[in-house]
Amino acid sequence: MIDVAELERAIKERLRKREEVIRAVGDFALKASQVLGPLTAILYGSYARGDFNLWSDVDVLFVVRDEVALPRKPHKRVELVLDLVPPGFEVHLVREGELRRALAKRAFARAALAGAVVVLDQLGLAEELRAMGLGVEMRRARGLEGLDRED
């Protein structure tokens, strides 16, 4: 028989852990924006969906303006913020145009961002992602209110 009280405790703990991760992504994004300039920070993968487990990493995508100088090789890009990356985070950096091209041409890119959580949106991309039917959730981590959309 299912212990309803235990199930409710487990659900509350999972929600608490997810919120903790969203807050950590927000803190990380603010620090990274001091290095990269305005950006949109997207939590995707298991923590965004809520199906994370003990071995899950925290998948974060930073989208920066097209003018930002990024290394050509994707694995070299993270070096720009490597000192800021919290343990257990898997970070990817792309320019706005690169993201748009990937979403237009690659089903796996759309699948990866389906159900993602936009934590910081200084570039104003959340509505565009929603319009693509990706089911993107906008969640400002506590303390990030009013920091979106730097024009």
Side-chain angles (χ1 to χ4, degrees), residues 64-136:
V64 298
R65 290 192 171 137
D66 287 328
E67 306 82 52
V68 174
L70 294 177
R72 188 162 187 246
K73 296 182 178 183
H75 69 278
K76 292 284 192 178
R77 293 177 176 192
V78 75
E79 291 177 6
L80 297 171
V81 293
L82 192 57
D83 293 342
L84 305 173
V85 179
F89 277 46
E90 177 74 27
V91 182
H92 299 276
L93 281 82
V94 298
R95 292 183 194 95
E96 287 179 273
E98 293 170 329
L99 176 66
R100 287 184 178 107
R101 283 189 298 279
L103 291 172
K105 295 180 180 181
R106 297 182 178 97
F108 75 86
R110 288 188 301 278
L113 292 186
V117 179
V118 177
V119 178
L120 181 65
D121 193 21
Q122 294 174 324
L123 302 180
L125 296 176
E127 286 304 319
E128 186 176 337
L129 296 172
R130 278 192 198 123
M132 291 179 184
L134 297 177
V136 172

Side-chain angles (χ1 to χ4, degrees), residues 11-27 43 46-48 50 52 58 89 117 119 137-145:
I11 291 170
K12 284 181 183 176
E13 177 58 23
R14 178 165 287 275
L15 291 172
R16 186 201 61 74
K17 178 65 176 167
R18 184 173 183 260
E19 289 302 315
E20 181 181 299
V21 166
I22 290 171
R23 245 186 329 278
V25 171
D27 292 344
L43 172 66
S46 61
Y47 274 96
F52 56 91
V58 177
F89 277 46
V117 179
V119 178
E137 179 184 350
M138 181 67 199
R139 292 288 307 278
R140 287 176 187 84
R142 193 173 26 205
L144 297 183
E145 299 85 359

